Amino acid sequence: MTFKSSVELYTADMQTRVKENTWHTKAHIIRTKLVPYLGKLKMCKITPQQIITWQNELMNYKDEHGKPYSPVYLKTVHNQLSAIFNHAVRYYNLRENPCQKAGSMGKKKNREMLFWTKEEYLKFAEIMMDKPLSYYAFEMLYWCGLREGELLALTPADFDFEKGTVSINKSYQRLEGRDLITTPKTEKSNRIIVMPKFLVSEMQDYLKMLYEIQPEDRMFSVTKSYLHHEMDSGAKEADVKRIRIHDLRHSAVSLLIDMGFSATAIADRMEHESIDITYNYAHLFPSKQVEMATRLDMERSV
């Protein structure tokens, strides 16, 4: 069986098991990065050395501006190739996955974690105030730590203003010119967030501005690219460092850490695992090393 034929089996088996937007990403990688290089080769004859040669081509690639693929993207591409081989091993009697011997490429994390302090966010928010949709969208992203897709899927029915909560139970994607509402990223992403009182009032004010909006209508009827543009231009005008929209989620976590909340409490609000909060944001938590040593001294002397 050729690699291309194996990909066709993989597609038939897996396409209906993942979200449409997830498969769209996988299919693009397979079509542009894997099949052109490996498509005609026999699956059982592909060697670790061939995988390494393929890796080197991708790692040495530069676009017309001299920019290489990011380490995170390289890792994603390699993982997709490995997944296809693993599928063939598990279900179609391929003897082994040559990616395991070749080793991976790239890395899971691409960059230092960027975030805004509360002061930086407030400078940015002030610039946004004359654009209600943008202002209220960024308020939800920052104070609730939402993902972009979660924000863009919000409807009036998701809010309980008496309890001061918002339910996160879906995500919005724009895929090939179509609006797509899917389930959230993970099962744990389904959650209810208690909003601060000022944000409850802001969302009520915002809904009053939306003419004849229905309970199931999207409240923020824009795309991710619109938010990216607004964030870039707003950050420039506010004279604060440029960060990604997803970094607002990091900013929300860093604020809660600064306020003294535990990793477990923050994880519950952000639908992370507490160990992920501890590991990924460890540098932001106050150091306990001196306190630990002092307590150990006390234990020893008892």
Side-chain angles (χ1 to χ4, degrees):
M1 183 184 296
T2 64
F3 180 81
K4 186 176 181 181
S5 297
S6 184
V7 162
E8 290 169 358
L9 290 174
Y10 176 82
T11 299
D13 292 343
M14 300 301 296
Q15 187 169 1
T16 58
R17 295 172 178 262
V18 299
K19 294 180 185 177
E20 186 177 350
N21 54 304
T22 301
W23 181 257
H24 187 260
T25 302
K26 286 175 171 287
H28 177 77
I29 289 173
I30 292 168
R31 186 176 64 253
T32 63
K33 304 296 183 298
L34 307 185
V35 171
Y37 190 89
L38 301 167
K40 295 180 180 180
L41 301 179
K42 300 286 187 184
M43 285 290 283
C44 61
K45 298 289 182 65
I46 296 175
T47 66
Q49 182 56 50
Q50 287 172 311
I51 300 297
I52 290 171
T53 302
W54 165 79
Q55 290 175 339
N56 288 339
E57 281 200 16
L58 287 178
M59 288 190 289
N60 291 327
Y61 170 84
K62 289 183 174 55
D63 65 15
E64 63 270 21
H65 304 295
K67 187 176 180 182
Y69 292 127
S70 75
V72 167
Y73 184 69
L74 290 172
K75 178 79 169 175
T76 301
V77 172
H78 175 86
N79 287 350
Q80 182 55 66
L81 178 61
S82 188
I84 291 170
F85 279 111
N86 282 337
H87 186 79
V89 169
R90 189 173 297 119
Y91 300 112
Y92 295 100
N93 299 318
L94 183 68
R95 190 164 57 87
E96 63 180 4
N97 177 356
C99 291
Q100 293 179 348
K101 287 185 179 178
S104 189
M105 65 175 171
K107 58 183 180 181
K108 189 175 181 181
K109 291 195 176 179
N110 187 27
R111 50 189 284 173
E112 63 176 320
M113 188 179 294
L114 295 175
F115 59 90
W116 279 340
T117 63
K118 183 182 71 174
E119 291 70 29
E120 287 173 316
Y121 172 72
L122 291 176
K123 283 179 68 177
F124 167 80
E126 188 173 356
I127 296 297
M128 289 288 111
M129 278 185 172
D130 61 346
K131 300 178 178 180
L133 186 152
S134 300
Y135 172 74
Y136 292 118
F138 286 114
E139 285 284 273
M140 288 297 296
L141 287 169
Y142 180 72
W143 297 108
C144 292
L146 301 185
R147 296 183 178 89
E148 289 172 86
E150 294 169 346
L151 169 87
L152 295 176
L154 287 178
T155 66
D158 295 324
F159 289 83
D160 184 330
F161 290 118
E162 286 189 12
K163 294 181 179 178
T165 61
V166 57
S167 297
I168 308 302
N169 51 39
K170 53 192 173 296
S171 184
Y172 167 86
Q173 307 287 337
R174 182 79 174 168
L175 192 62
E176 297 181 333
R178 295 180 296 118
D179 291 338
L180 189 66
I181 301 294
T182 68
T183 54
K185 184 176 180 181
T186 66
E187 184 61 34
K188 197 172 180 181
S189 298
N190 286 283
R191 62 201 189 278
I192 295 176
I193 297 174
V194 180
M195 298 181 290
K197 289 182 180 179
F198 73 84
L199 190 58
V200 173
S201 297
E202 287 185 343
M203 287 302 106
Q204 289 174 311
D205 291 342
Y206 176 58
L207 280 174
K208 291 173 185 174
M209 300 177 187
L210 303 178
Y211 182 67
E212 291 188 348
I213 188 169
Q214 300 301 305
E216 301 300 330
D217 289 345
R218 287 175 56 218
M219 293 168 55
F220 300 99
S221 54
V222 295
T223 61
K224 292 181 179 181
S225 61
Y226 171 87
L227 290 177
H228 293 178
H229 176 268
E230 288 291 272
M231 191 163 183
D232 286 348
S233 61
K236 185 175 182 180
E237 190 174 346
D239 195 27
V240 294
K241 63 179 175 286
R242 184 185 178 279
I243 63 174
R244 303 169 305 164
I245 286 184
H246 190 74
D247 291 325
L248 286 175
R249 203 164 142 80
H250 300 320
S251 304
V253 173
S254 69
L255 176 64
L256 294 172
I257 291 172
D258 194 50
M259 292 169 68
F261 290 102
S262 69
T264 304
I266 296 169
D268 186 54
R269 185 173 180 85
M270 306 296 291
E271 64 73 27
H272 280 291
E273 296 292 342
S274 58
I275 188 65
D276 293 336
I277 292 285
T278 304
Y279 179 76
N280 292 327
Y281 299 86
H283 59 292
L284 299 179
F285 282 96
S287 175
K288 297 289 185 181
Q289 290 286 346
V290 174
E291 182 184 341
M292 287 177 187
T294 302
R295 291 282 300 276
L296 288 169
D297 269 332
M298 293 169 64
E299 287 296 316
R300 177 67 177 83
S301 60
V302 170

